[in-house]
Amino acid sequence: MQGHECDVKTSRVMAKKGKKRRAVDKLIDIDHLYPIEEAMAKVKEVNTAKFDASVDIHIRLGVDPRKSDQNVRGTVTLPHGTGKNKTVLVLCPPDKEEEAKNAGADFVGLDDLVTKIKGGWTEFDVVVAAPTVMAKVGQIGRILGPRGLMPNPKSGTVTMDIGGAVKDVKGGKVELKTDKLGIIHSSIGRVSFSADKLRDNAQEVLDTLNRMKPASLKGTYMKSVTVATTMSPGVKISAKSS
């Protein structure tokens, strides 16, 4: 009886998947660890989205994020960018506004933007702030924080080099940080990217994380590496091939 119930549940789960998704699932061996080059070609092959979907890499680290010395966080500049033109908001004093605008910032200001954000406006991807205005930025911390938008010195988004920070973000710089489960999530491009470009970007992320390995960590550092598009099954990557 139990076996029959299991078969019924499996059939129901399969029925919920669309025809295209069931077809691409057959193209992937979920237990196989693909070399990084093959994984990038495979993730393009199994994409079912009709739009230029984001390609993301997910790395499960053998760290304990609750320990300050194992809370991995930093930045990486992708060789080929993310394929997305990020909207950058800059909060700074008046003497830095021209520098921000010249660097390509989309929104520049301080009090007016803080008030607008307090009202619920969050139509931007990255916030860059001058250290001298962080007291005012703190007023909107409850809004920015949960969305991952709070500027931070470790990510290079709290700095007096406003122009440089804006150019870095526009040029493909992304933040890497562990979530509560010790997993790093990062975009490495779009489906329209060639497999070679996706491989280069993924390799840069992995190399950067290897350089950030906590000295106190014992055991396996990278436990699993998976790449997937917005609407596709994940493809597991062999960490040894990266």
Side-chain angles (χ1 to χ4, degrees):
M1 187 68 175
Q2 289 181 345
H4 175 69
E5 290 178 353
C6 182
D7 290 341
V8 171
K9 288 181 180 179
T10 301
S11 297
R12 287 175 178 173
V13 170
M14 291 299 293
K16 290 181 181 179
K17 290 186 177 182
K19 185 177 180 180
K20 288 184 179 180
R21 178 56 186 267
R22 293 199 301 272
V24 298
D25 280 350
K26 296 178 181 179
L27 299 174
I28 298 176
D29 181 348
I30 60 173
D31 297 318
H32 182 63
L33 298 180
Y34 293 86
I36 191 168
E37 296 87 351
E38 187 179 348
M40 297 308 150
K42 184 68 70 173
V43 79
K44 285 171 62 66
E45 180 185 0
V46 300
N47 173 62
T48 59
K50 294 182 179 180
F51 55 90
D52 193 13
S54 173
V55 179
D56 304 314
I57 193 167
H58 310 277
I59 306 105
R60 184 163 67 91
L61 301 178
V63 300
D64 184 350
R66 294 171 298 179
K67 297 180 179 179
S68 60
D69 61 341
Q70 291 189 26
N71 192 358
V72 178
R73 184 169 189 172
T75 60
V76 59
T77 298
L78 303 179
H80 307 291
T82 62
K84 178 182 179 182
N85 183 22
K86 291 189 175 182
T87 301
V88 180
L89 178 146
V90 173
L91 299 173
C92 63
D95 64 322
K96 283 289 184 177
E97 290 186 359
E98 191 68 21
E99 178 183 341
K101 292 175 181 177
N102 290 339
D106 300 278
F107 302 101
V108 181
L110 186 56
D111 294 330
D112 55 334
L113 292 178
V114 169
T115 299
K116 194 173 180 180
I117 293 170
K118 285 181 178 179
W121 177 70
T122 55
E123 296 178 11
F124 43 87
D125 302 305
V126 178
V127 179
V128 174
T132 53
V133 305
M134 285 306 293
K136 292 188 176 181
V137 176
Q139 298 174 17
I140 49 177
R142 291 184 178 180
I143 298 172
L144 300 180
R147 293 172 172 79
L149 296 170
M150 191 67 180
N152 188 291
K154 290 185 178 180
S155 65
T157 49
V158 175
T159 175
M160 287 304 293
D161 183 13
I162 296 294
V166 172
K167 289 179 180 177
D168 283 345
V169 172
K170 291 287 187 177
K173 184 177 181 179
V174 297
E175 183 177 11
L176 302 175
K177 65 177 180 179
T178 50
D179 63 13
K180 293 180 180 179
L181 299 176
I183 302 174
I184 297 279
H185 308 276
S186 175
S187 171
I188 55 171
R190 319 293 287 189
V191 173
S192 59
F193 280 29
S194 68
D196 287 344
K197 286 185 176 182
L198 290 174
R199 178 204 60 207
D200 291 346
N201 280 352
Q203 192 66 62
E204 189 66 28
V205 170
L206 295 173
D207 289 346
T208 299
L209 285 176
N210 275 321
R211 290 193 292 270
M212 294 163 59
K213 180 180 179 180
S216 62
L217 180 67
K218 305 297 181 183
T220 304
Y221 180 43
M222 290 191 185
K223 290 195 169 184
S224 69
V225 182
T226 305
V227 64
T229 69
T230 308
M231 298 173 65
S232 78
V235 179
K236 295 179 180 179
I237 297 175
S238 170
K240 292 182 180 180
S241 74
S242 59

